[in-house]
Amino acid sequence: MKYIQWGKWLFLILLTATNVRADDGYRLWLKYDLLKDVAKRQAYARSAQFIVVSGNSPVLKTAATELQAGLQGLTGKSVPIIANAGNRTGGIVLTVGADANLVDDGYRISKKGAAGNLIISGKTANGVLYGAFALLRKMQMLEPIETLSLTSNPRIRYRLLNHWDNANGTIERGYAGESLWKWYALPETIDPRYQDYARANASLGINGTVVNNVNATARFLTNEYLEKVAALAKAFRPYGIRVYLSIYFPAPKTIGGLSTADPLDPQVRKWWADKTKEIYKLIPDFGGFLVKANSEGEPGPQDYGRSHADGANMLAEALAPYDGIVMWRAFVYKADPNGDRFKAAHEEFMPYDGKFDKKVIVQVKNGPIDFQPREPFSPLFGAMTKTPLSVEFQITQEYLGFATHLVYEAPIFKECLEADTYVKGKGSTVAKVIDGSLHQYSMSAIAGVANTGSDRNWTGHPLAQANWYAFGRLAWDHTLTSEAIAGEWVKQTLTKEPQAVERITDMLMRSREIYVNYNTPLGLSRPWTGVHFAPEPWQNKSSRPDWTAIYYHRADSVGLGFDRTAKGSNALAQYAPEVRKMWGNPATCPLPYLLWFHHVPWTQKLSTGRTLWDELCTRFYTGADSVKWMQQQWAQVKPAVDPVLFADVAGRLETQHKEAIWWRDAWVLYLQPFARQPIPAPFKKPERSLEDVKRLVDIYQLR
Ligand code: BDP
């Protein structure tokens, strides 16, 4: 008996000490575990015997130490950092210098002669840092580096995360724990996690972060909080990351003691100029302001009869002496019972096109409504030609099943970026609008609402790390494919075993469409209230009509969908004629957008050969069934991934499957009395009643 006990213990100890090790996800895609492939390990070690760096730049030093840590981890060899290569070869040289082929943050990796050193050069230290991470990425993916020759420039200048984090530690629409920022302990205590956060971002080329919620409080502009923000900025600086703040427009009143926040009032302007000066004294590389104004109850310049341009330009004037910008959000819509919320941003902003200061960029959400699982691109991208625009994506899964549902978002981002606005003829993609190339703007920006939180694995769902990763990679280069990015992430984060890589990449690639199918197929949108989790298509009461579900889906005895053609709200008129023509005709409108633009009769035959009702049912049912497929795929990769992570994802997929069926049932049971059609074979009628589903949702919403 004793021997058996000991044997068991020995086995467990061996198991723990060898390859079965709990992976808590903390290291993200920056694992740098010793490579199993010995030949590769040796080849890398031969090309990386030392690292040369000179000068005092903190960012260059970061590049060197990151490379050193990565190389040592991957090859198992120690790699010294030296100041001068002398005659030595077989090392990596980091250098900053003029290069006509590079923009500020770009990098070049090249080798002089077969035996020479590998040179990572940049026009700026940031460029070198990004080059160092690119080299590490190549090695993590087992690509050859001996003959590497690579030039890479970011297509967009300001690549930012937006944190919707509050001073009390909560995160608006955050599903991965509390805020990373421990305001109560700052500025004295610097959580080591701040540095890990910065390096993860820098590894992708993200160069800025807005640390507080767009629904801002003035508190962040008090001296007490600015010192805390300055401490964060100091922790991020060696990684080339600048800090930005969301501002509360009436701050001159709330904390400045003034009687107004009118942007044309000289005292108000002086207050902002003085406040900005104070900020730059504490944070010399401060990035600028992000503003949500006159939106969803947030105050703004319109409270004083002034325009968005007046408000933005006042802040731009305060920032004029410094290298900072204003990001003014276009997410603005009034409670108009007769209007169409879809049209609101265009209506509000078009009159001011060309009237914004050169330091202002207007930040537009990818779609016209609000981060729905699928939206057509915002018409502003094809209309506001005289103002630089940036795109705001949402990485956190507000409408995508929080942290339990698997949705890989690169296809969402790409769908918007590759959409053709036709504003300057065919090929005028949203990507070309926002990277500045279409209208020749040097100011270009992209923002992602972060999905990070205090959870040990940063993002709650372990596979949601891929969304942070994908946002960063696309912010650097929007021409990368979703699939290539997924493959990169999987190989660096989960496994290098080729079949498993292929399987997980496939799951990721299909996940968004699967979610859309059981959640909002064929262009349905916004079937929820407050917490934005489970669909509540029956929801018809709210303080404003555009906060009900029935406002969006418009189900009636005739059909389903929001008529936005000339016969309806005519929102289509906000798009270029080519887009209008294609989307305005139900026969040519792509099925994924159909119900965004048309009220379609239940019995209408669609291009799939099915009626609207049958097609909807098919999508709801196959969507929910496909989650089962994802579970099966995941089960097959078990031997190739960490056991703790495996179990975590397997559990979440099971929950997702249960909820997908429940959500399918919510829609089908709610819509059936309108459609007055049977559920088509081979699908079975839900076992529960609509009342059962409503009860489930009510419990979830805690109402
Ligand atoms: C919506 C969110 C809300 C945000 C708002 C915004 O539900 O929490 O404050 O967007 O972007 O999606 O301002």
Side-chain angles (χ1 to χ4, degrees):
M1 182 67 188
K2 266 208 172 122
Y3 287 116
I4 297 173
Q5 287 271 338
W6 272 108
K8 204 167 118 193
W9 276 114
L10 196 66
F11 174 72
L12 277 178
I13 291 165
L14 278 175
L15 207 69
T16 328
T18 52
N19 55 350
V20 184
R21 194 174 42 80
D23 186 347
D24 60 13
Y26 185 82
R27 295 177 302 156
L28 297 160
W29 47 88
L30 303 169
K31 296 216 156 76
Y32 308 135
D33 288 334
L34 184 67
L35 294 173
K36 290 198 184 108
D37 183 332
V38 179
K40 270 266 143 51
R41 209 195 287 169
Q42 288 169 345
Y44 291 158
R46 270 198 302 279
S47 300
Q49 295 165 38
F50 55 89
I51 298 162
V52 183
V53 69
S54 56
N56 287 323
S57 152
V59 175
L60 271 190
K61 278 192 186 150
T62 306
T65 50
E66 283 294 331
L67 254 186
Q68 183 183 46
L71 285 166
Q72 291 182 175
L74 291 166
T75 67
K77 290 250 157 59
S78 82
V79 185
I81 298 176
I82 56 178
N84 200 317
N87 292 330
R88 291 180 68 181
T89 56
I92 300 176
V93 179
L94 307 183
T95 161
V96 175
D99 188 329
N101 293 315
L102 295 181
V103 303
D104 273 1
D105 283 352
Y107 60 83
R108 186 199 284 273
I109 307 179
S110 57
K111 188 149 188 178
K112 292 220 176 72
N117 291 320
L118 199 59
I119 319 278
I120 304 181
S121 56
K123 226 169 111 178
T124 60
N126 272 21
V128 178
L129 178 61
Y130 302 140
F133 276 118
L135 182 67
L136 288 166
R137 182 161 57 237
K138 297 266 170 217
M139 289 190 276
Q140 287 210 85
M141 289 164 54
L142 304 179
E143 289 179 18
I145 62 162
E146 295 77 15
T147 51
L148 199 59
S149 172
L150 176 70
T151 302
S152 184
N153 282 310
R155 288 172 194 269
I156 296 171
R157 184 162 160 204
Y158 298 96
R159 305 172 297 277
L160 269 61
L161 283 189
N162 288 185
H163 289 271
W164 287 358
D165 292 20
N166 301 313
N168 66 3
T170 57
I171 305 177
E172 179 148 349
R173 314 301 179 186
Y175 313 104
E178 297 279 291
S179 173
L180 291 169
W181 327 133
K182 295 181 175 156
W183 295 114
Y184 51 87
L186 283 163
E188 291 81 10
T189 310
I190 305 298
D191 185 337
R193 199 160 183 172
Y194 302 151
Q195 183 183 344
D196 292 334
Y197 163 84
R199 67 190 284 266
N201 282 323
S203 76
L204 306 172
I206 289 171
N207 62 0
T209 180
V210 184
V211 293
N212 62 323
N213 193 354
V214 285
N215 298 317
T217 68
R219 185 184 296 188
F220 284 97
L221 292 173
T222 61
N223 192 265
E224 187 199 354
Y225 265 74
L226 287 175
E227 283 185 0
K228 296 172 191 280
V229 176
L232 281 183
K234 191 172 166 203
F236 302 159
R237 193 167 293 124
Y239 284 87
I241 294 180
R242 298 169 72 182
V243 158
Y244 298 68
L245 282 174
S246 297
I247 58 129
Y248 183 60
F249 199 79
K253 276 165 72 182
T254 7
I255 56 167
L258 300 186
S259 58
T260 176
D262 179 350
L264 298 192
D265 183 290
Q267 272 188 302
V268 172
R269 297 176 90 87
K270 182 171 180 322
W271 188 87
W272 280 109
D274 290 346
K275 186 47 77 180
T276 308
K277 191 171 173 190
E278 182 189 336
I279 296 175
Y280 275 90
K281 224 166 148 194
L282 288 165
I283 312 169
D285 56 354
F286 179 68
F289 301 127
L290 173 63
V291 195
K292 172 174 179 177
N294 294 118
S295 160
E296 299 187 328
E298 292 297 322
Q302 290 176 346
D303 304 351
Y304 306 93
R306 313 299 183 197
S307 71
H308 288 290
D310 293 331
N313 293 347
M314 168 194 69
L315 294 170
E317 182 186 89
L319 284 162
Y322 316 100
D323 178 24
I325 60 168
V326 180
M327 294 161 295
W328 193 271
R329 296 177 86 227
F331 180 66
V332 169
Y333 59 102
K334 293 204 178 76
D336 176 359
N338 303 314
D340 176 0
R341 177 172 162 187
F342 190 112
K343 297 178 4 185
H346 186 282
E347 285 169 349
E348 290 251 11
F349 278 79
M350 280 311 285
Y352 304 104
D353 191 17
K355 305 225 159 66
F356 289 94
D357 185 279
K358 63 179 187 318
K359 271 179 169 289
V360 179
I361 192 154
V362 172
Q363 184 164 312
V364 184
K365 287 189 181 181
N366 58 292
I369 300 287
D370 187 13
F371 300 137
Q372 297 301 284
R374 170 167 274 128
E375 292 200 29
F377 69 86
S378 163
L380 275 178
F381 292 120
M384 252 183 127
T385 56
K386 299 191 212 92
T387 310
L389 301 180
S390 76
V391 63
E392 178 179 311
F393 290 120
Q394 195 179 44
I395 313 174
T396 189
Q397 294 179 230
E398 174 179 358
Y399 297 98
L400 297 172
F402 297 2
T404 34
H405 292 230
L406 170 62
V407 182
Y408 173 54
E409 295 166 341
I412 306 182
F413 307 155
K414 288 286 285 187
E415 194 168 297
C416 170
L417 291 165
E418 284 174 358
D420 200 340
T421 68
Y422 284 90
V423 57
K424 281 189 162 177
K426 198 169 165 46
S428 305
T429 60
V430 172
K432 287 187 191 162
V433 173
I434 60 135
D435 74 10
S437 61
L438 194 72
H439 305 303
Q440 268 99 51
Y441 291 124
S442 58
M443 171 101 124
S444 58
I446 184 164
V449 181
N451 63 348
T452 50
S454 59
D455 278 8
R456 182 71 190 159
N457 72 4
W458 302 86
T459 55
H461 197 309
L463 305 190
Q465 290 179 1
N467 292 332
W468 180 6
Y469 185 87
F471 169 77
R473 295 288 286 137
L474 286 171
W476 181 272
D477 183 358
H478 54 67
T479 67
L480 295 171
T481 67
S482 304
E483 193 165 8
I485 296 171
E488 277 184 8
W489 179 78
V490 174
K491 281 186 214 160
Q492 294 172 89
T493 316
L494 301 179
T495 177
K496 292 185 182 30
E497 200 277 302
Q499 258 203 323
V501 172
E502 206 176 296
R503 244 183 243 287
I504 302 170
T505 305
D506 193 26
M507 276 175 74
L508 292 175
M509 287 301 291
R510 290 173 198 257
S511 59
R512 187 275 188 119
E513 214 54 51
I514 291 172
Y515 183 87
V516 166
N517 278 342
Y518 64 77
N519 192 267
T520 43
L522 298 176
L524 282 172
S525 72
R526 259 195 100 89
W528 23 49
T529 50
V531 302
H532 301 167
F533 185 65
E536 305 164 86
W538 50 84
Q539 202 278 329
N540 60 3
K541 284 190 203 72
S542 176
S543 53
R544 44 190 291 179
D546 53 359
W547 286 353
T548 64
I550 57 160
Y551 175 93
Y552 293 93
H553 62 64
R554 312 224 156 182
D556 59 21
S557 60
V558 177
L560 183 68
F562 198 131
D563 185 357
R564 293 191 163 99
T565 66
K567 293 189 276 84
S569 79
N570 205 16
L572 273 164
Q574 295 181 339
Y575 289 100
E578 291 87 341
V579 180
R580 200 185 311 155
K581 193 165 159 230
M582 184 169 44
W583 293 356
N585 177 352
T588 54
C589 180
L591 283 188
Y593 297 148
L594 187 65
L595 303 177
W596 272 104
F597 297 110
H598 301 279
H599 191 71
V600 181
W602 296 109
T603 50
Q604 173 81 46
K605 266 243 162 86
L606 306 183
S607 54
T608 57
R610 298 186 191 97
T611 63
L612 172 68
W613 169 251
D614 285 358
E615 186 62 39
L616 278 169
C617 289
T618 304
R619 294 193 184 218
F620 286 130
Y621 278 83
T622 49
D625 283 353
S626 304
V627 181
K628 189 100 221 151
W629 171 83
M630 293 205 288
Q631 289 180 276
Q632 287 155 359
Q633 294 302 299
W634 187 248
Q636 308 231 27
V637 305
K638 187 171 183 183
V641 300
D642 178 89
V644 173
L645 185 135
F646 175 83
D648 187 347
V649 173
R652 287 176 207 254
L653 284 170
E654 205 171 324
T655 310
Q656 182 177 352
H657 187 230
K658 181 182 70 188
E659 288 171 350
I661 293 173
W662 152 28
W663 296 4
R664 170 199 80 190
D665 291 354
W667 270 116
V668 171
L669 293 168
Y670 171 77
L671 292 178
Q672 200 178 25
F674 292 103
R676 298 180 311 275
Q677 307 272 321
I679 289 168
F683 309 119
K684 288 209 194 76
K685 198 173 160 29
E687 279 156 19
R688 53 189 141 210
S689 70
L690 184 58
E691 291 316 307
D692 294 337
V693 182
K694 284 186 179 172
R695 254 193 305 278
L696 264 173
V697 174
D698 283 353
I699 291 165
Y700 203 86
Q701 310 274 25
L702 296 177
R703 275 195 267 112

